[in-house]
């Protein structure tokens, strides 16, 4: 009984962070970063130099409210490891995580705000607790390196590198689009098209693959410009898609949408009829045709 009483008294004497640390696992060689997985994630761990999207809340010991949090945001922005994420402990913690994972971390001062702290919020030599929910990440290291090259250097690399970079940029754009951040989406799509359009090659197969990669991005740009209320630009990108594939149903539909928003009902009708001929029972096409006829 005496032993149980001493153990209980020792536990009560410990601080909240001390008690939490006992159930956590060290992930740094010196024990300066401890981790507890609350909800496991899926897939591979975050690679170095990735761009990550995550919610976090940071707490001081004995504090009921976080000193910093992003949980109020609907969509946290993508942050580049090593550039936007500058706290050593947080970066190390993120590199240990998988998509969907929710974990808690304790960071000793050398992995957080150091001996000086960050007045007035963070006192000197403070150990801090971070709760992190990793939503998603993109392995953007190759894309970042590629974009930094000159056009000549880019053209010297294999086409597969370029198409991989354009896929990454398109993924960034899609993420922004789904979050209704249309200007950001447009910028990513434009960056991807610029890289692809700058490709210099005399190889017929490579030219075909470049056009194949450009087609869906032109379509993304067309829809994005419509959401931004710029039908003239939407029409330009839809026509660029039709230059690659004159029978592309969705490109014909986008042209019809753009002309309708420009109040050119005759041209809208013509393009929508062409789209309808390819997909007679498509509800979106038929509904827009009714609007063009009104």
């Amino acid at each position: 009984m005496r032993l149980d009483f001493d153990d209980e008294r020792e536990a009560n004497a410990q601080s909240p962070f001390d008690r939490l640390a006992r159930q956590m696992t060290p992930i740094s060689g010196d024990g300066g970063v401890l981790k507890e997985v609350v909800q496991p994630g899926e897939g591979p761990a975050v690679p170095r130099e990735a761009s990550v999207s995550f919610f976090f809340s940071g707490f001081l010991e004995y504090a009921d409210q976080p000193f910093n949090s992003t949980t109020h945001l609907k969509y946290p922005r993508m942050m580049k490891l090593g550039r936007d994420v500058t706290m050593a402990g947080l970066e190390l913690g993120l590199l240990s995580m998988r998509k969907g994972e929710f974990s808690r971390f304790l960071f000793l001062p050398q992995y957080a705000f150091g001996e000086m702290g960050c007045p007035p919020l963070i006192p000197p030599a403070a150990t801090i607790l971070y709760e992190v929910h990793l939503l998603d990440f993109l392995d953007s290291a190759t894309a970042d390196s590629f974009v930094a090259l000159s056009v000549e250097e880019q053209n010297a690399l294999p086409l597969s590198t370029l198409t991989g970079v354009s896929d990454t940029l398109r993924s960034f754009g899609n993420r922004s689009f789904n979050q209704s951040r249309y200007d950001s989406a447009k910028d990513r799509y434009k960056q991807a098209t610029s890289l692809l359009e700058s490709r210099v090659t005399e190889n017929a197969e490579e030219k075909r693959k470049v056009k194949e990669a450009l087609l869906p991005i032109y379509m993304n740009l067309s829809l994005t410009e419509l959401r931004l209320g710029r039908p003239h630009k939407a029409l330009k990108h839809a026509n660029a898609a039709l230059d690659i594939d004159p029978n592309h149903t969705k490109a014909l539909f986008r042209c019809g949408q753009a002309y309708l928003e420009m109040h050119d009902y005759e041209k809208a009708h013509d393009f929508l009829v062409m789209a309808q001929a390819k997909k007679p029972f498509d509800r979106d096409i038929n509904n827009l045709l009714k609007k063009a006829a009104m």
Side-chain angles (χ1 to χ4, degrees):
M1 293 295 293
R2 175 75 181 187
L3 181 61
D4 291 343
F5 177 78
D6 286 343
D7 289 344
E8 183 178 350
R9 182 171 60 183
E10 180 184 352
N12 290 335
Q14 290 181 329
S15 72
F17 279 4
D18 287 336
R19 291 196 295 273
L20 182 60
R22 295 178 66 180
Q23 64 193 48
M24 302 179 90
T25 302
I27 62 170
S28 62
D30 57 1
V33 179
L34 302 177
K35 176 180 180 180
E36 177 190 19
V37 177
V38 179
Q39 174 185 301
E42 297 180 340
V46 174
R48 293 193 176 277
E49 300 182 53
S51 294
V52 292
S53 175
F54 61 99
F55 289 115
F56 73 86
S57 294
F59 296 87
L60 294 170
E61 196 166 26
Y62 301 106
D64 293 327
Q65 299 298 321
F67 62 82
N68 193 12
S69 179
T70 60
T71 57
H72 63 286
L73 300 175
K74 186 175 182 180
Y75 302 112
R77 70 185 182 93
M78 295 291 285
M79 300 178 72
K80 175 78 172 174
L81 293 179
R83 184 184 68 196
D84 304 318
V85 179
T86 56
M87 186 189 297
L90 181 56
E91 182 167 7
L92 188 61
L94 286 164
L95 287 169
S96 74
M97 298 184 74
R98 305 171 191 277
K99 287 183 184 180
E101 179 180 326
F102 178 81
S103 288
R104 295 190 182 99
F105 299 92
L106 277 178
F107 304 139
L108 292 187
Q110 65 268 32
Y111 285 92
F113 295 95
E115 294 302 314
M116 299 294 291
C118 188
L121 288 177
I122 312 298
T127 296
I128 59 174
L129 168 69
Y130 259 63
E131 295 182 340
V132 181
H133 182 196
L134 180 65
L135 302 177
D136 203 357
F137 66 84
L138 286 172
D139 190 354
S140 57
T142 301
D144 292 336
S145 300
F146 188 88
V147 169
L149 299 174
S150 67
V151 174
E152 292 75 17
E153 290 170 324
Q154 291 171 359
N155 279 314
L157 292 173
L159 179 62
S160 59
T161 302
L162 169 59
T163 54
V165 168
S166 70
D167 286 344
T168 298
L169 293 171
R170 185 181 174 214
S171 294
F172 271 109
N174 291 347
R175 194 176 312 277
S176 294
F177 184 93
N178 291 334
Q179 296 171 0
S180 301
R181 295 166 49 231
Y182 300 122
D183 277 313
S184 177
K186 178 205 67 177
D187 290 343
R188 290 294 191 172
Y189 295 144
K190 289 287 286 182
Q191 190 177 24
T193 58
S194 178
L195 291 174
L196 288 164
E197 289 169 347
S198 297
R199 183 73 176 188
V200 177
T201 179
E202 296 301 320
N203 184 289
E205 180 61 15
E206 279 205 356
K207 288 182 178 180
R208 184 191 67 78
K209 288 183 177 179
V210 168
K211 289 182 177 180
E212 188 178 79
L214 277 167
L215 181 58
I217 306 175
Y218 283 144
M219 295 305 303
N220 290 148
L221 268 170
S222 183
L223 181 57
T224 302
E225 294 290 7
L226 282 173
R227 294 292 172 86
L228 287 167
R230 298 194 283 242
H232 289 84
K233 291 188 176 182
L235 181 63
K236 171 189 169 185
H237 297 304
N239 276 321
L242 288 174
D243 286 340
I244 295 172
D245 180 2
N247 296 311
H248 197 283
T249 307
K250 188 145 285 186
L252 294 169
F253 177 68
R254 290 278 177 264
C255 286
Q257 281 184 297
Y259 277 122
L260 191 60
E261 291 195 16
M262 293 157 59
H263 306 295
D264 190 333
Y265 300 107
E266 184 176 345
K267 287 184 179 177
H269 180 269
D270 290 344
F271 274 96
L272 291 169
V273 165
M274 286 189 283
Q276 187 190 49
K278 299 181 182 305
K279 286 191 175 181
F281 304 108
D282 187 282
R283 183 180 300 176
D284 291 334
I285 295 173
N286 291 327
N287 286 341
L288 210 60
L289 256 175
K290 292 176 183 177
K291 288 185 180 180
M294 292 175 66

